[in-house]
Amino acid sequence: CIRDALAEEGMSSPSGGEDAEGRAADNPAVVMTDETTGNRYMRLVDSKGLSEDKADPWLIKDLHAESKSWGRPGGAENKLIIKSDGESPIVALREALARKHGGIVSPEQPPKGEHASNGVVEEAGKTIRDMAKVLKMHIESRLRRMLHMKEPIMHWLVRWAAMALSRFQLGKDHKTVHQRQAGKACNT
């Protein structure tokens, strides 16, 4: 599932006095999740959905590399279903990823207004934002200053929040996503 998200609630500082830099509309992000394994991905981007008719090449390469690391290598023999909402920038992203990934890619799009069908990725986005908030608050306490969303570390922080959840959060089976996928615990 691929969805645009806004790095906002939970990401802006609890003081409430943060300027426009911390507002949701100024902090778009892209979220991807693998419904089979539970892997999560989030990246801050410059604009919601990237651009009206084409996706940023770095993001497509990054999404493709992440899909491969999740055991979705692409190529002629592989099948992949990519779900997304119907917003044109996200559809452009989905189509660009399908071209890059190769293989048999089936796009899925829920009916207009049916956000419940994107529930997995919506929940992943919320969980990642919550983890990123905790990491941000910890770094701020160590630095003894506020971090603003436009600072370079925020790109790393959001990415690490998603990676940490995929590597270390236990599921209902008492295993991490990494354990289910690789068959062993992640020790790094």
Side-chain angles (χ1 to χ4, degrees), residues 26 29 38 46 48 67 79-80 92 105 117 128 134-135 145 156 163 165 170:
D26 296 335
D46 293 330
K48 182 182 177 188
S67 296
K79 297 177 183 171
L80 187 64
V105 179
S117 58
I128 295 166
V134 170
L135 294 172
R145 74 172 186 89
W156 168 84
M163 290 172 68
L165 287 165
L170 296 177

Side-chain angles (χ1 to χ4, degrees), residues 50 62-63 69 77 87 110 113 120 125 127 136 144 147 157 185-187:
L50 317 167
D62 197 46
L63 286 164
S69 76
E77 298 299 317
E87 294 180 43
V120 171
T127 304
K136 179 178 182 266
R144 294 189 176 114
L147 289 175
L157 190 142
C186 181
N187 296 320

Side-chain angles (χ1 to χ4, degrees), residues 3-12 22-31 42-49 87 90 121-122 124-130 132 149 158:
R3 175 106 172 98
D4 63 316
L6 300 171
E8 39 114 10
E9 18 169 313
M11 290 298 295
S12 54
R23 290 192 205 123
D26 296 335
N27 302 306
V30 171
V31 177
M42 182 184 257
R43 296 291 186 275
L44 296 178
V45 292
D46 293 330
S47 61
K48 182 182 177 188
E87 294 180 43
I90 299 301
V121 76
E122 297 279 350
K126 181 186 179 311
T127 304
I128 295 166
R129 283 192 305 269
D130 289 349
M149 289 301 297
V158 167

Side-chain angles (χ1 to χ4, degrees), residues 2-70:
I2 299 176
R3 175 106 172 98
D4 63 316
L6 300 171
E8 39 114 10
E9 18 169 313
M11 290 298 295
S12 54
S13 296
S15 66
E18 197 167 11
D19 57 320
E21 196 170 62
R23 290 192 205 123
D26 296 335
N27 302 306
V30 171
V31 177
M32 179 173 71
T33 186
D34 185 325
E35 289 183 348
T36 306
T37 64
N39 275 306
R40 298 174 181 118
Y41 167 102
M42 182 184 257
R43 296 291 186 275
L44 296 178
V45 292
D46 293 330
S47 61
K48 182 182 177 188
L50 317 167
S51 69
E52 284 305 311
D53 55 353
K54 66 179 188 174
D56 289 336
W58 76 265
L59 184 59
I60 298 305
K61 288 178 186 174
D62 197 46
L63 286 164
H64 174 63
E66 194 75 11
S67 296
K68 286 173 63 176
S69 76
W70 292 353

